[in-house]
């Protein structure tokens, strides 16, 4: 570990010296994202200065979001050190935060995606593609926590969380309309209107996206809407949000064959032209904050959500049709007690009830692992309800003038009730159990110390645990060799040490971490579910931004990580595929690049015109447990430009993949040991105009 840390620091430091431009507060002035007086809300569900946090939180601000105008959340979120969101086709993607790229139940349940502090989906009903449900391009900010969340957050905040915070209402009337177009049928229209009248502030935002697709039969249509109202009284504030999205996408499937992505002609094809994904969701929440006295505040947030999805599972051999939906009602309640100037106690209770259903049906037979048949017809038809009850305590103590201690704990009880709506038994690969109920309890403590060395620099040590109850699909989408009820709660212990701040106008955030996970439930390379895995995760991350002479500015995000198995497992029943399915202690986990970097050079032409050149580095990674298959990585260059013509009109443009490189957004291996890829888009030009009224 020590050698790795030294190499990480040296490598990333060199990158930072060569690097240029990060988050930009205005067209003329680079931001200082790690300044200790920056305010964040995710850590405590209330406004907190960065100097007080025992752990890392990265804030992607409004100006960065407006400048990048991301087509996909990955375009802006991958600027954060330690993140690797791999794009599939259109809105499909998989996420990594201080982790390998995870799929299946692990991918759905290891990362918590929120909108203004409320999870986009219910615990246990996750979606590996869940980021598309948020309106990233019209958010006011995006806050990212790497590693386990605080005691305020429960299941799914294992490897990290991403919180999309809607844009606040304007103090006076404003309206804005943006129209963009580009190659391959890219069309985007977005608008927002906002005002504050007396005690009421409101904002309504709408976005429409259309793509014809650069690959065959890969068109996409989606709509997103966010409405926000803030009412402020003498001792009360009520913040209400309603949001929704609709997606209708013809999906491009994996290319197969070693290095097939390197042929542009092959990359443009779609092996499964009838693959699709259709989804929609709606959410509503209202946060009431009431001052009981000068030092005590009550916060109550009731919320409801609904989501449904219908798609072809094109990424596995039998290509069945899966349909699922769930609806939830819940409440977040907390008391905030201030003690002195900088000490706080937060006591809270989160409750949630969810009712969901899930079906999977196959129209054609295929084989996997040379033995188990994917049967034609119904695989699963189930209904599941869940009840979550989670009390927590979070405390922050200013023990010395420059030393702060953070401690907390969360206990979470999850109850599942499963109803099988089909016949009971084993049918080929698939096992359908009788009705049953399951209960899981998690306990996630946190302890940290923050030391301020000056008003501009601080360090922290953070010990924490993340945990998640099994996903519904982990528990009840059983395969023929599994035993019902054997899946356990996944836990991960984490140690993090970091330093952040600003020295001589250079803002930085350096973090090192070690994490060990138990009861890791994953799908092995041969397509079979494997419970009780153990993994280890170590790494170093560095983010830097600074102004440079002559109108230039510099920014970089870099990470070096080592993700390995911490146990051994031999799949003796997988035939020839046992080699790629078996693991050994210390072996590399697939789809976990050792190094990544994002470096940006910005130049301000005049106060309201800015250009940015971005270099994206993806390191090599293996795609199977034996290390016999791998992806060599890639380098990309992107160029963005924005200019304000007058007070009402602005222009923007971006040229992605300037060198027109053939690369893979995602590389993996099939259940039969064949290399497969989601090819990255060729050189793409897009531009538009924004009009303010």
């Amino acid at each position: 570990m020590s050698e790795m840390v030294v190499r990480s620091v040296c490598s990333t430091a060199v990158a930072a010296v060569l690097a240029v431009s990060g988050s930009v507060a205005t067209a003329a002035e680079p931001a200082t994202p790690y300044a200790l007086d920056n305010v964040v809300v995710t850590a405590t569900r209330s406004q907190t200065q960065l100097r007080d946090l025992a752990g890392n939180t990265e804030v992607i601000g409004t100006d960065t979001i407006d400048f990048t105008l991301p087509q996909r959340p990955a375009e802006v979120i991958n600027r954060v050190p330690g993140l690797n969101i791999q794009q599939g086709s259109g809105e499909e993607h998989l996420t990594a935060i201080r982790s390998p790229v995870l799929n299946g139940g692990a991918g759905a349940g290891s990362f918590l995606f929120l909108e203004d502090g409320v999870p986009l989906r219910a615990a246990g009903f996750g979606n590996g593609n869940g980021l598309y449900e948020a309106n990233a391009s019209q958010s006011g900010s995006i806050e990212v926590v790497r590693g386990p969340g605080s005691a305020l957050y429960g299941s799914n905040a294992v490897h990290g969380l991403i919180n999309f915070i809607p844009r606040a209402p304007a103090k006076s009337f404003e309206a804005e309309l943006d129209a963009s177009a580009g190659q391959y049928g890219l069309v985007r229209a977005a608008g927002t209107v906002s005002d504050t009248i007396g005690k009421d502030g409101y904002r309504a935002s709408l976005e429409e996206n259309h793509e014809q697709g650069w690959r065959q039969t890969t068109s996409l249509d989606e709509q997103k809407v966010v409405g926000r109202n803030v009412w402020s009284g003498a001792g009360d504030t009520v913040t209400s949000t309603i949001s929704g999205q609709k997606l209708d996408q013809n999906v491009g499937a994996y290319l197969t064959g070693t290095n097939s992505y390197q042929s542009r002609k092959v990359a443009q094809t779609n092996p499964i032209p009838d693959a699709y994904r259709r989804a929609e969701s709606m959410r509503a929440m209202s946060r009431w904050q009431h001052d009981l006295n000068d030092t005590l505040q009550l916060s109550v947030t009731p919320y409801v959500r609904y989501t449904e999805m219908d798609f072809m599972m094109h990424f596995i051999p039998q290509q069945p049709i899966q349909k699922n939906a769930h609806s939830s009602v819940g409440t977040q309640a907390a008391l905030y007690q201030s003690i002195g100037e900088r000490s706080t106690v937060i006591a809270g209770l989160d409750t949630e009830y969810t009712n969901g259903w899930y079906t999977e049906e196959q129209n054609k037979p295929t084989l996997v692992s040379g033995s188990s048949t994917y049967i034609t017809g119904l695989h699963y038809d189930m209904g599941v309800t869940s009840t979550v009850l989670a009390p927590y305590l979070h405390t922050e103590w200013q023990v010395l003038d420059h030393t702060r201690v953070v401690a907390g704990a969360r206990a979470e009880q999850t109850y599942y009730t499963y109803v099988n709506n089909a016949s009971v038994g084993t049918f080929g690969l698939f096992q359908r159990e009788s009705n049953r109920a399951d209960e899981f309890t998690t306990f996630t403590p946190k302890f940290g110390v923050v030391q301020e060395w000056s008003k501009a620099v601080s360090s922290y040590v953070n010990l924490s645990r993340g945990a998640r109850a099994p996903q519904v699909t982990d528990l009840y989408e059983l395969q023929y060799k599994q035993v019902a009820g054997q899946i356990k709660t996944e836990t991960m212990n984490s140690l993090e040490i970091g330093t952040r701040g600003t020295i001589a106008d250079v803002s930085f955030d350096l973090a090192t971490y070690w994490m060990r996970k138990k009861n890791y439930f994953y799908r092995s390379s041969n397509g079979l579910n494997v419970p009780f895995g153990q993994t280890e995760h170590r790494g170093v991350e560095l983010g830097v931004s600074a102004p440079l002479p002559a109108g230039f500015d510099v920014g970089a995000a870099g990470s070096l990580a080592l993700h390995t198995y911490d146990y051994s497992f031999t799949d003796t029943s997988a035939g020839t595929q046992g080699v790629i399915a078996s693991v050994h202690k210390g072996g590399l986990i697939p789809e976990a690049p050792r190094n990544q970097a994002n470096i940006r050079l910005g130049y301000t032409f005049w106060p309201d015109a800015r250009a940015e050149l971005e270099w994206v580095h993806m390191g090599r990674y293996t795609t199977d447990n034996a290390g016999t298959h791998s992806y060599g990585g890639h380098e990309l260059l992107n160029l963005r430009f924005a200019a304000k013509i007058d007070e009402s009109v602005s222009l923007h443009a971006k040229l992605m993949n300037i060198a027109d490189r053939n690369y893979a957004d995602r590389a993996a291996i099939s259940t039969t040991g064949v290399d497969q890829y989601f090819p990255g888009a060729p050189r793409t030009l897009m531009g538009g105009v924004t009009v303010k009224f």
Side-chain angles (χ1 to χ4, degrees):
M1 174 64 180
S2 59
E3 180 183 354
M4 187 193 72
V5 171
V6 172
R7 287 191 286 112
S8 295
V9 174
C10 293
S11 300
T12 319
V14 171
V17 173
L18 298 175
V20 212
S21 171
S23 304
V24 179
T26 69
E29 182 181 3
T32 53
Y34 314 114
L36 299 188
D37 56 354
N38 281 351
V39 174
V40 298
V41 300
T42 298
T44 62
R45 292 180 182 163
S46 62
Q47 291 190 346
T48 306
Q49 287 188 325
L50 193 61
R51 71 174 71 247
D52 294 334
L53 299 186
N56 69 84
T57 298
E58 178 98 5
V59 181
I60 303 170
T62 303
D63 294 287
T64 299
I65 296 170
D66 286 347
F67 181 73
T68 57
L69 281 178
Q71 285 293 106
R72 303 284 178 266
E75 191 177 332
V76 66
I77 295 175
N78 278 348
R79 292 177 171 223
V80 176
L83 268 77
N84 177 19
I85 299 171
Q86 289 186 345
Q87 285 299 138
S89 173
E91 284 284 18
E92 292 190 335
H93 61 273
L94 291 173
T95 300
I97 305 177
R98 289 186 175 176
S99 70
V101 175
L102 300 176
N103 52 33
S110 297
F111 315 105
L112 185 60
F113 304 143
L114 310 112
E115 182 177 60
D116 202 15
V118 175
L120 292 172
R121 282 182 161 245
F125 295 81
N127 177 9
N129 302 273
L131 286 172
Y132 71 72
E133 295 175 337
N135 190 335
S137 64
Q138 292 185 304
S139 294
S141 63
I142 304 170
E143 295 188 0
V144 181
V145 176
R146 309 186 299 275
S150 70
L152 280 71
Y153 300 100
S155 274
N156 296 30
V158 178
H159 278 277
L161 61 90
I162 302 174
N163 190 11
F164 298 86
I165 301 173
R167 203 160 297 203
K171 294 182 179 180
S172 58
F173 179 81
E174 67 175 37
E176 182 177 296
L177 180 64
D178 179 82
S180 305
Q183 293 174 271
Y184 312 112
L186 294 169
V187 178
R188 177 183 182 269
T192 184
V193 60
S194 182
D195 196 5
T196 297
I197 303 172
K199 297 180 179 181
D200 264 300
Y202 72 88
R203 180 178 293 277
S205 302
L206 176 67
E207 180 180 23
E208 166 86 24
N209 284 304
H210 172 78
E211 297 179 14
Q212 191 59 38
W214 69 276
R215 299 178 67 191
Q216 296 172 2
T217 60
T218 55
S219 63
L220 176 150
D221 287 284
E222 68 175 344
Q223 300 80 38
K224 297 183 179 182
V225 60
V226 179
R228 192 161 175 87
N229 177 265
V230 179
W231 179 88
S232 299
D236 298 272
T237 301
V238 180
T239 303
S240 302
T241 304
I242 183 168
S243 61
Q245 59 80 218
K246 185 175 183 179
L247 173 67
D248 187 352
Q249 176 182 347
N250 296 318
V251 177
Y254 276 116
L255 302 178
T256 57
T258 304
N259 297 329
S260 54
Y261 68 92
Q262 293 183 355
S263 167
R264 182 62 54 83
K265 184 177 180 180
V266 173
Q268 289 175 330
T269 64
N270 184 4
I272 308 176
D274 57 342
Y276 70 92
R277 182 181 294 268
R278 302 184 184 101
E280 58 185 59
S281 64
M282 290 291 294
R283 297 169 297 277
M285 55 84 73
S286 187
R287 178 174 293 112
W288 172 49
Q289 295 170 291
H290 173 65
D291 294 333
L292 296 170
N293 56 44
D294 291 341
T295 62
L296 184 62
Q297 184 184 73
L298 171 67
S299 176
V300 180
T301 308
Y303 61 87
V304 295
R305 74 165 72 87
Y306 176 78
T307 180
E308 63 176 293
M309 184 163 55
D310 173 5
F311 71 104
M312 175 189 284
M313 302 175 74
H314 59 87
F315 39 84
I316 50 180
Q318 75 279 18
Q319 300 160 26
I321 303 300
Q322 183 189 119
K323 298 180 180 180
N324 64 74
H326 75 270
S327 56
S328 304
V329 58
T331 302
Q332 298 174 341
L335 283 169
Y336 292 75
Q337 176 67 65
S338 298
I339 302 173
E341 292 186 2
R342 294 182 63 188
S343 297
T344 304
V345 175
I346 305 171
L349 176 67
D350 292 348
T351 61
E352 182 175 278
Y353 174 80
T354 300
N355 184 22
W357 59 266
Y358 170 99
T359 66
E360 181 180 308
E361 190 166 2
Q362 178 182 331
N363 296 321
K364 58 182 179 180
T366 56
L367 298 176
V368 69
S369 301
S371 59
S372 303
T373 302
Y374 281 83
I375 61 168
T376 300
L378 184 68
H379 295 169
Y380 305 103
D381 183 354
M382 68 182 77
V384 181
T385 62
S386 74
T387 303
V388 177
L389 186 67
Y392 63 85
L393 182 68
H394 177 91
T395 65
E396 302 182 2
W397 304 97
Q398 195 69 34
V399 294
L400 298 172
D401 288 345
H402 302 289
T403 305
R404 189 173 181 83
V405 172
V406 178
R410 180 186 183 94
E412 186 163 306
Q413 196 84 14
T414 303
Y415 303 88
Y416 290 123
T417 301
Y418 158 79
V419 177
N420 176 29
N421 298 318
S423 55
V424 175
T426 299
F427 307 87
L429 180 68
F430 310 101
Q431 180 184 165
R432 299 198 290 260
E433 286 293 313
S434 301
N435 301 349
R436 57 179 293 124
D438 294 277
E439 178 182 337
F440 300 91
T441 301
T442 63
F443 180 71
T444 49
K446 175 185 175 73
F447 178 81
V449 178
V450 183
Q451 178 65 43
E452 295 180 25
W453 306 111
S454 68
K455 292 183 178 180
V457 178
S458 71
S459 299
Y460 60 86
V461 176
N462 182 31
L463 290 164
S464 59
R465 173 179 293 172
R468 69 172 180 93
Q471 295 288 293
V472 166
T473 51
D474 294 347
L475 285 170
Y476 308 121
E477 189 185 286
L478 297 178
Q479 294 177 343
Y480 72 105
K481 293 182 180 181
Q482 288 184 260
V483 177
Q486 72 174 168
I487 308 302
K488 295 183 178 181
T489 297
E490 182 178 290
T491 62
M492 186 168 71
N493 294 325
S494 172
L495 168 63
E496 179 183 19
I497 303 173
T499 299
R500 61 192 166 215
T502 303
I503 299 176
D505 292 330
V506 177
S507 295
F508 66 94
D509 186 347
L510 175 65
T512 64
Y513 64 89
W514 172 88
M515 304 187 299
R516 188 171 185 268
K517 184 160 62 173
K518 296 180 64 176
N519 297 322
Y520 170 43
F521 180 92
Y522 68 100
R523 181 160 290 174
S524 69
S525 302
N526 68 341
L528 295 180
N529 293 334
V530 180
F532 312 134
Q534 297 184 50
T535 59
E536 191 172 37
H537 311 268
R538 293 162 284 175
V540 179
E541 301 160 344
L542 177 63
V544 177
S545 66
L548 294 175
F552 287 93
D553 54 80
V554 54
S559 63
L560 185 63
L562 184 62
H563 304 285
T564 58
Y565 290 106
D566 199 37
Y567 83 125
S568 297
F569 164 75
T570 301
D571 189 350
T572 58
S573 62
T576 58
Q577 297 307 312
V579 175
I580 62 173
S582 300
V583 305
H584 65 277
K585 187 171 183 178
L588 294 176
I589 303 176
E591 300 178 52
R594 295 289 301 273
N595 54 80
Q596 297 172 240
N598 182 293
I599 299 175
R600 302 170 300 278
L601 171 63
Y603 178 63
T604 301
F605 294 92
W606 57 84
D608 296 315
R610 171 177 175 76
E612 181 183 271
L613 180 65
E614 177 185 49
W615 172 56
V616 177
H617 165 73
M618 172 58 63
R620 179 186 178 275
Y621 56 87
T622 63
T623 57
D624 70 331
N625 292 324
T628 57
H629 296 252
S630 64
Y631 174 66
H634 58 254
E635 320 291 330
L636 299 175
L637 288 174
N638 303 315
L639 180 65
R640 297 179 177 89
F641 172 79
K644 187 175 180 181
I645 305 304
D646 56 33
E647 292 301 316
S648 301
V649 180
S650 299
L651 301 177
H652 56 84
K654 54 186 174 182
L655 183 62
M656 309 299 287
N657 190 6
I658 297 172
D660 202 24
R661 295 288 301 273
N662 293 325
Y663 72 102
D665 271 318
R666 170 169 168 75
I669 192 168
S670 73
T671 55
T672 56
V674 176
D675 292 309
Q676 54 187 17
Y677 310 92
F678 279 123
R683 182 191 299 119
T684 305
L685 176 64
M686 187 172 187
V689 58
T690 303
V691 180
K692 294 185 177 181
F693 302 94

